[in-house]
Amino acid sequence: MGTILDALTSKFLTKLGQLIEDEVVMTLSVKKDIKRLKKNLEYFSAVREDMEALAMKDRRIKAWWKSMTDVMFDVDVIIDLVMVHSQKLLLPPRSVCCNQSMVSCFGKLSFDHKVARRIKDINEKLDEIKTNTQMFSLDRTIRQQFQVTTVDRNQTSPIDELELVGREIKQSVGNIVQMIVSGCHENSRSVLGIQGMGGIGKTTLAQKIYNEQMIREKFQVHIWLCVSQSYTETGLIKQAIRMAGEKCDQLETKTELLPLLVDTIKGKSVFLVLDDVWKSDVWIDLLLSPFMRAFNFHVLVTTRDLDVLSEMHAIYTHQVNKMNYNDGLELLMKKSFQSSEQISEFKNMGYEIVKKCDGLPLAIKVVAGVLSTKKTVAEWKSIRDSKWSIHGLPKELGGPLYLSYNNLPPRLKQCFLWCALLPPNFEIHRDAVAYWWVAEGFVRKEHEFSVHEIAEEYYLELVRRNLIQPIPKYVDKAVSTMHDLLRSLGQYLTKDHSLFMNAENNNAMSNLRRIGISHAVEKIPALEEHKCLRSLLLFNNKNFKSIHKEIFRKLEHIRILVLSGTSIQNIPESLGNLVLLRLLDLSYTEINMLPESTGSLISLEYLSLLGCHHLDSLPAGLMRLSNISFLQLEQTAVDHVPKGIAKFQQLYNLRGVFESGTGFRLDELRRLPNIQRLWVEKLETAAPGAELVLKNSHNLRELGLRCTVATTQERTRYQTDEVERIQQVYDMLIPSPSLVYIFLEGFLGIRFPEWLLSEPELNMPSLCHMHLNECVSCSELPPAGQMPELLVLQIKGADEIVTIDTELLGKGVRSAAAFFPKLELLHIISMCSLEKWSLNIRNKLDDMEDNSQQFTLMPCLKRLLLLDCPKLRALPQDMSMIVNLKRIHIEGAHKLQEVVNLPAVLWLKVKNNACLRRISNLCKLQHLFVQDCPMLDQAENLCSLNRVYMIDCPHVQEFRNCLAEEEQGILVHVAADGRNIFPDESLYN
């Protein structure tokens, strides 16, 4: 924490230096006190970096440290208040009468006096703290110099990586499965437990049991519920109903949901997993009664607490053993290196470090994250010999977990700790969390990069260090989660000033600076009592229905206000008092208007109105907010975007903007030099201009272009001249060469824009993600195979496409000698007219002018999703040339008769394919999931299979007979009840 203090004081000194030089502040009576404050802070920039450890060890130092932290928060507030006030004084004066001018003058004098008094109080506190600093000998020690560098994306973990969890797990799985299956008979009921400390692999073991073939065979219904500490009863019941195969979207109360759960499982055999249980009442008081109506049920519970299992009358408890050192070493090396040549050099030191991790997989991963930044054996040795914990930390949070936190650079520490405010299992979106960190002041501009780019690099650094875990289906690692133990560590280290409030912990302390409130909290506390609050986060809490009209007069220090998914309908005018507010997220609320006082939020940088379906207008004062860098208007009822967006010179992310009569015009985009992410809507109403409006957008990384109408039937209402106008609008939106993401949604033209059809690799050489959705009238696809950096390609709802042929491959990329040299994910979805798909690479090479060079086809493609293409007759013959294609999901391809000759595929799911008869020559296939394929009866050369799941397949016995003798024992037949197979059938697992 001492290094965080260093980062804070460094930031404050910079700001104070600016204020002393500011001509406006020079006129204030507080100049002398500001200089004194700066001198005081210069002293505290030399406080020891290990203050946090000392504070936990010594109660007197802890009290000192808490006082210091509180004062630092106060310093931050007063500096920002002065800066905001000086900014107000520099605003163009409005015409005022004499009396108003006198009021303004008295207001300035009042502010000066208020600021002078507060700075004087702070200086007196700092003087007192300084005395104590000398008494405790808390002078500076030699400090490690930290540096956050640009993330090396080659070092980030590949999405296909399989983590070794220990060889003993197979035996444990077999024993527990046998116990469950042998006790499965009519009216049998049992509870079994898996107990162990956090991070030891309880959930992994439960997942393997849940997916075992014998469990699949014996039970008709399989339900997995993640309970955690902040579950809601209705949310848990809904999840149980959905996993049992029913829908419950229209039901909201427990009274409505419980009878449906009973009807869904009544008379059936049920296997239920309750993962991460903290209290037994979730079973005893909520779920036991409905599950008693099942034919039989067996419950597997994972928990840290043996008392939970005792109270649930568990008949057997399995305690998870720690990972042995050899397995741990393999995991450590896998997570810290990508180069196999380096492993032998670091092996001995790695073995000693694994021993210190004491067999915990999570601990090994986070320490590997630290080691990934160290390049020599000596640096690894320094980590081994460093202090791995501090006095006062709970045992399960110390050691490797604390080491991984303590080795973070100061600003990354702040970012990591802030994530502990978020709900458990929360999906952390890179773009959102980057703005939260910027709004908190954790991120400073460096070199030529903006604060938002720096914040995104911080996010990726936390991913690389395994402190947040990316969700596999996002190739760019843009969405992640935080392990509950790491979250607990963050909450422990910030407990004096930050709180995540849940149903069990709803008594907030005074003087809190940050509060996150769980959706499970039924009674929202009196927030106006927390006058020092700077961050308030509510996500999807429907119990939060109204805001007291005067509350924002009391929460004057607040910087971040997130009310996303709450039930509020009105925002009071007192909102305008939040002069320090930088981030306001009202997404998916029920508000129908914003107060005019929104225009007084002089510090506001981020405003999200996403999904505010009742909001039909924006206040005129909004256009006065010159600091806005993020504005989101998607999925609202707003029908007029005011003119003046071009005044927002700091705009970095603009979403949902559209031309509207006398309001916003596309040519305003020309005057937004910093824009990096842009979504333009309702382009069917836009008028083509004479200029290329994105010509000067040299930093643009993401571009979304959307027409509102998206179906063939709706398209027919447009006359030829209207379609041509829309075509012209898109043609003039030529993106910057810096583009990384392109989204075309509901495009109404008959051909894709010229900049996408002709040499797109020159127009967009850095493009990684291309999504072409509901482009219903285009009969020809762009040559995406020419894109040298393309990672993800999605083609959805292209109704006019009958054949996908070599036009998609284009000319290939000569420098890589490949078509689609980097493509990893390919999605072909809802192609209602698609009959033929041919890669035809041999003919393509014959047609090329220089065919002497040997080209490869999609050498990096790992996953293919083929969904709702009812007329497609066959997969491309050349697909066998794709050497790394590991996972395929085919669903709704009713003319497809066979899946054959795919030598690299390890995982295949086929579902709802009416004519599919044969699966053949998939010699590496290990996992096969089949559902609702009524004609499937032939199999050949599936020699590597180790599990098969089949639902609603009448010819299962014929299919089984086709397998070789050694393969037949692994087949699992799941009863025909129309359910999905099980949770890990996702393409992205």
Side-chain angles (χ1 to χ4, degrees):
M1 200 70 168
T3 50
I4 292 181
L5 179 61
D6 196 32
L8 287 174
T9 51
S10 175
K11 177 182 76 170
F12 297 158
L13 290 172
T14 302
K15 284 186 174 182
L16 287 171
Q18 294 170 353
L19 286 177
I20 291 171
E21 297 298 323
D22 194 317
E23 292 183 6
V24 175
V25 179
M26 291 278 283
T27 67
L28 295 173
S29 61
V30 297
K31 178 186 175 186
K32 181 179 178 181
D33 287 316
I34 290 178
K35 285 187 174 181
R36 183 181 165 201
L37 177 60
K38 183 173 184 288
K39 187 174 181 179
N40 266 327
L41 289 177
E42 286 171 347
Y43 173 85
F44 283 104
S45 68
V47 169
R48 292 171 55 135
E49 67 177 35
D50 59 350
M51 278 307 308
E52 185 173 54
L54 291 172
M56 287 194 179
K57 190 174 182 180
D58 189 315
R59 289 184 179 180
R60 297 176 305 159
I61 298 177
K62 181 177 181 180
W64 178 95
W65 180 241
K66 188 176 186 307
S67 298
M68 189 68 202
T69 305
D70 286 338
V71 172
M72 285 300 154
F73 280 123
D74 293 338
V75 171
D76 200 17
V77 169
I78 197 64
I79 290 176
D80 282 349
L81 280 174
V82 174
M83 295 187 80
V84 166
H85 187 67
S86 65
Q87 187 178 350
K88 279 185 176 180
L89 294 177
L90 291 172
L91 290 176
R94 300 181 187 177
S95 58
V96 292
C97 66
C98 180
N99 287 339
Q100 288 174 316
S101 179
M102 289 179 65
V103 169
S104 176
C105 182
F106 281 122
K108 178 185 178 301
L109 291 173
S110 173
F111 179 83
D112 286 2
H113 178 71
K114 181 179 178 182
V115 166
R117 188 179 70 247
R118 291 182 67 169
I119 294 180
K120 184 177 180 180
D121 289 344
I122 289 173
N123 277 321
E124 288 176 355
K125 289 180 183 177
L126 288 173
D127 286 339
E128 181 181 350
I129 291 172
K130 187 188 298 183
T131 301
N132 290 334
T133 304
Q134 294 163 347
M135 179 171 44
F136 294 138
S137 299
L138 301 178
D139 53 312
R140 183 173 185 154
T141 56
I142 297 174
R143 184 182 305 277
Q144 180 180 355
Q145 297 300 312
F146 292 103
Q147 182 180 7
V148 178
T149 57
T150 302
V151 174
D152 180 0
R153 287 169 180 79
N154 292 324
Q155 290 188 2
T156 52
S157 302
I159 61 177
D160 271 341
E161 182 177 3
L162 298 175
E163 293 170 9
L164 190 63
V165 294
R167 295 169 184 170
E168 295 178 2
I169 197 168
K170 290 184 179 179
Q171 183 178 350
S172 301
V173 169
N175 292 341
I176 297 174
V177 168
Q178 190 60 44
M179 190 178 304
I180 294 170
V181 171
S182 62
C184 183
H185 49 77
E186 184 176 352
N187 292 325
S188 63
R189 301 175 179 120
S190 68
V191 175
L192 295 89
I194 298 175
Q195 186 270 335
M197 66 178 68
I200 201 169
K202 300 184 298 295
T203 298
T204 301
L205 177 59
Q207 286 173 337
K208 289 185 174 293
I209 295 167
Y210 184 77
N211 294 327
E212 269 295 306
Q213 59 186 39
M214 293 176 70
I215 297 293
R216 292 288 148 183
E217 257 181 337
K218 281 289 183 181
F219 296 94
Q220 294 171 284
V221 177
H222 306 79
I223 299 174
W224 180 289
L225 299 179
C226 182
V227 182
S228 72
Q229 290 176 285
S230 60
Y231 74 90
T232 62
E233 291 186 340
T234 54
L236 216 57
I237 299 169
K238 281 185 175 183
Q239 180 66 6
I241 292 170
R242 292 190 188 105
M243 296 208 70
E246 289 295 331
K247 295 180 180 179
C248 55
D249 297 337
Q250 305 304 315
L251 307 180
E252 293 297 334
T253 68
K254 186 166 74 169
T255 305
E256 294 172 319
L257 289 164
L258 280 175
L260 179 56
L261 176 59
V262 169
D263 290 343
T264 305
I265 63 177
K266 185 177 180 180
K268 297 180 180 178
S269 59
V270 181
F271 182 67
L272 169 67
V273 173
L274 298 177
D275 185 36
D276 195 20
V277 178
W278 289 76
K279 287 194 173 182
S280 59
D281 55 4
V282 68
W283 173 246
I284 297 169
D285 298 336
L286 180 65
L287 296 176
L288 176 59
S289 179
F291 277 85
M292 289 293 289
R293 305 294 295 275
F295 176 75
N296 64 60
F297 67 80
H298 293 262
V299 185
L300 183 63
V301 181
T302 73
T303 182
R304 302 182 194 181
D305 190 348
L306 278 171
D307 290 340
V308 168
L309 299 176
S310 175
E311 292 162 6
M312 293 177 66
H313 304 294
I315 63 170
Y316 171 78
T317 296
H318 174 81
Q319 290 190 316
V320 181
N321 295 323
K322 296 175 180 178
M323 180 177 281
N324 68 57
Y325 292 151
N326 289 330
D327 293 335
L329 180 63
E330 185 174 343
L331 179 60
L332 183 82
M333 292 302 180
K334 190 178 292 185
K335 280 294 185 178
S336 56
F337 289 121
Q338 295 301 310
S339 171
S340 58
E341 296 82 30
Q342 294 174 294
I343 290 179
S344 59
E345 181 183 354
F346 289 85
K347 185 175 181 179
N348 291 336
M349 189 59 61
Y351 191 77
E352 294 180 27
I353 290 171
V354 166
K355 286 183 178 180
K356 293 192 72 170
C357 292
D358 199 26
L360 293 177
L362 176 64
I364 293 170
K365 285 192 288 185
V366 296
V367 171
V370 176
L371 296 174
S372 68
T373 67
K374 313 300 179 185
K375 304 303 180 186
T376 67
V377 174
E379 289 178 306
W380 277 44
K381 184 176 183 294
S382 71
I383 294 298
R384 183 201 63 184
D385 297 337
S386 64
K387 192 170 184 179
W388 279 43
S389 193
I390 54 177
H391 178 81
L393 264 182
K395 183 178 180 181
E396 63 179 6
L397 303 181
L401 300 191
Y402 179 75
L403 173 78
S404 64
Y405 158 77
N406 198 40
N407 273 268
L408 288 172
R411 294 188 187 92
L412 275 183
K413 282 186 176 180
Q414 297 177 95
C415 296
F416 167 77
L417 293 174
W418 201 92
C419 290
L421 271 179
L422 302 172
N425 304 312
F426 186 82
E427 291 193 352
I428 303 171
H429 288 253
R430 176 196 60 207
D431 298 343
V433 78
Y435 274 101
W436 292 330
W437 293 338
V438 169
E440 277 278 12
F442 297 159
V443 188
R444 281 189 288 173
K445 192 176 185 303
E446 297 178 19
H447 310 297
E448 72 275 17
F449 299 106
S450 70
V451 288
H452 307 289
E453 291 172 300
I454 298 299
E456 290 177 15
E457 295 295 342
Y458 287 3
Y459 169 88
L460 290 172
E461 183 71 7
L462 291 180
V463 169
R464 185 164 72 89
R465 289 171 178 259
N466 299 309
L467 292 172
I468 53 178
Q469 292 79 42
I471 296 175
K473 71 177 180 178
Y474 299 96
V475 172
D476 57 356
K477 299 176 174 58
V479 185
S480 60
T481 59
M482 177 179 270
H483 191 281
D484 61 342
L485 268 184
L486 288 165
R487 184 171 168 272
S488 295
L489 174 65
Q491 290 180 341
Y492 188 88
L493 293 174
T494 57
K495 65 183 186 300
D496 289 335
H497 54 75
S498 300
L499 172 70
F500 178 78
M501 187 182 300
N502 55 38
E504 304 296 324
N505 177 24
N506 54 15
N507 295 318
M509 302 177 297
S510 61
N511 213 34
L512 281 173
R513 309 294 175 151
R514 302 183 180 105
I515 298 179
I517 300 180
S518 164
H519 64 277
V521 174
E522 296 182 2
K523 187 176 180 181
I524 308 298
L527 297 171
E528 60 271 15
E529 296 176 3
H530 300 282
K531 296 180 181 180
C532 296
L533 203 62
R534 56 187 290 143
S535 291
L536 175 61
L537 313 175
L538 286 96
F539 296 98
N540 302 315
N541 191 311
K542 297 301 181 183
N543 300 312
F544 190 74
K545 298 178 179 179
S546 63
I547 303 175
H548 190 275
K549 65 179 181 179
E550 296 300 313
I551 190 172
F552 295 133
R553 299 191 191 280
K554 299 180 179 180
L555 300 180
E556 61 177 350
H557 297 167
I558 204 159
R559 287 158 166 75
I560 296 178
L561 181 58
V562 176
L563 304 176
S564 177
T566 59
S567 298
I568 57 168
Q569 297 180 354
N570 298 297
I571 304 291
E573 282 290 336
S574 62
L575 179 73
N577 289 294
L578 304 181
V579 294
L580 298 184
L581 188 68
R582 295 174 185 164
L583 186 148
L584 178 59
D585 185 350
L586 300 172
S587 56
Y588 297 106
T589 58
E590 299 176 20
I591 61 169
N592 51 33
M593 64 175 293
L594 281 175
E596 189 59 40
S597 66
T598 304
S600 300
L601 301 176
I602 191 170
S603 302
L604 195 67
E605 299 174 2
Y606 177 111
L607 176 61
S608 176
L609 303 170
L610 172 67
C612 294
H613 299 294
H614 304 295
L615 182 69
D616 57 11
S617 63
L618 299 173
L622 181 67
M623 309 314 291
R624 297 200 301 266
L625 304 181
S626 59
N627 287 325
I628 288 283
S629 65
F630 179 104
L631 180 60
Q632 188 164 30
L633 305 174
E634 295 168 291
Q635 301 177 42
T636 67
V638 171
D639 59 5
H640 182 81
V641 179
K643 191 172 183 179
I645 292 290
K647 297 176 185 175
F648 296 165
Q649 287 294 288
Q650 305 303 315
L651 260 176
Y652 176 87
N653 197 328
L654 176 62
R655 312 180 83 85
V657 71
F658 55 89
E659 285 198 353
S660 51
T662 59
F664 171 80
R665 310 298 296 176
L666 288 182
D667 61 6
E668 290 191 66
L669 299 174
R670 291 186 294 109
R671 301 194 292 279
L672 297 176
N674 296 309
I675 195 77
Q676 292 208 16
R677 300 180 186 274
L678 172 66
W679 277 75
V680 186
E681 296 193 337
K682 301 182 182 180
L683 282 167
E684 71 276 7
T685 64
E691 295 191 61
L692 303 178
V693 297
L694 299 179
K695 182 178 180 180
N696 297 322
S697 303
H698 301 301
N699 299 311
L700 192 65
R701 295 169 57 196
E702 176 182 342
L703 177 63
L705 304 174
R706 180 183 288 139
C707 290
T708 307
V709 291
T711 67
T712 306
Q713 291 74 16
E714 289 173 315
R715 179 188 63 81
T716 57
R717 297 205 302 266
Y718 287 83
Q719 302 298 318
T720 302
D721 59 335
E722 292 178 297
V723 173
E724 184 57 34
R725 173 179 53 78
I726 294 169
Q727 191 85 51
Q728 291 173 13
V729 169
Y730 274 76
D731 282 342
M732 77 175 194
L733 291 170
I734 300 176
S736 162
S738 59
L739 204 67
V740 177
Y741 302 81
I742 181 75
F743 298 84
L744 264 59
E745 307 266 356
F747 176 56
L748 293 170
I750 59 174
R751 58 173 176 79
F752 285 103
E754 190 63 27
W755 45 265
L756 196 58
L757 281 178
S758 177
E759 297 186 315
E761 71 278 11
L762 299 181
N763 297 317
M764 300 172 290
S766 302
L767 194 73
C768 294
H769 298 249
M770 181 188 294
H771 293 251
L772 309 175
N773 298 332
E774 315 301 344
C775 300
V776 294
S777 303
C778 295
S779 58
E780 182 179 352
L781 294 172
Q786 297 173 195
M787 309 298 292
E789 302 295 328
L790 195 65
L791 295 173
V792 177
L793 173 62
Q794 176 167 301
I795 305 166
K796 178 181 178 183
D799 293 349
E800 291 295 316
I801 301 291
V802 177
T803 300
I804 296 179
D805 211 332
T806 53
E807 81 277 356
L808 185 66
L809 300 178
K811 299 179 296 184
V813 179
R814 291 198 173 277
S815 60
F819 301 97
F820 292 104
K822 293 188 178 180
L823 190 71
E824 293 186 14
L825 299 184
L826 176 59
H827 295 175
I828 299 177
I829 304 173
S830 299
M831 303 282 279
C832 64
S833 302
L834 182 65
E835 298 178 5
K836 183 181 179 182
W837 179 16
S838 172
L839 297 171
N840 211 6
I841 185 173
R842 296 174 182 84
N843 291 344
K844 182 70 178 176
L845 291 173
D846 290 341
D847 293 340
M848 293 172 66
E849 293 180 7
D850 178 13
N851 58 12
S852 60
Q853 191 174 11
Q854 185 63 44
F855 272 61
T856 58
L857 177 64
M858 303 181 186
C860 296
L861 186 68
K862 298 173 182 176
R863 291 168 164 82
L864 168 66
L865 174 62
L866 190 63
L867 182 63
D868 293 332
C869 300
K871 296 183 179 180
L872 182 65
R873 296 191 294 267
L875 298 177
Q877 288 186 348
D878 283 354
M879 192 172 284
S880 60
M881 300 173 62
I882 304 176
V883 295
N884 283 307
L885 181 56
K886 300 292 193 299
R887 300 171 80 95
I888 300 179
H889 177 169
I890 302 172
E891 181 173 345
H894 296 306
K895 296 292 184 182
L896 185 69
Q897 296 189 34
E898 60 181 14
V899 177
V900 298
N901 302 328
L902 298 170
V905 172
L906 302 174
W907 184 101
L908 173 66
K909 176 181 177 181
V910 287
K911 178 179 178 181
N912 188 27
N913 302 299
C915 296
L916 182 64
R917 298 201 61 178
R918 186 163 74 106
I919 299 175
S920 175
N921 291 332
L922 279 69
C923 57
K924 292 185 179 180
L925 185 67
Q926 297 177 14
H927 311 289
L928 174 61
F929 313 108
V930 185
Q931 183 172 358
D932 193 18
C933 294
M935 304 293 290
L936 183 63
D937 60 1
Q938 299 176 35
E940 184 181 5
N941 194 16
L942 307 180
C943 53
S944 298
L945 276 176
N946 58 39
R947 58 176 176 169
V948 179
Y949 296 88
M950 300 186 77
I951 299 177
D952 296 339
C953 298
H955 298 292
V956 61
Q957 191 56 50
E958 291 92 328
F959 185 87
R960 182 172 190 164
N961 292 339
C962 293
L963 297 174
E965 183 176 340
E966 63 272 14
E967 298 162 9
Q968 293 187 16
I970 52 86
L971 185 67
V972 174
H973 173 212
V974 181
D977 55 11
R979 295 178 294 102
N980 276 335
I981 300 169
F982 60 93
D984 77 344
E985 63 176 338
S986 166
L987 180 70
Y988 305 101
N989 283 330

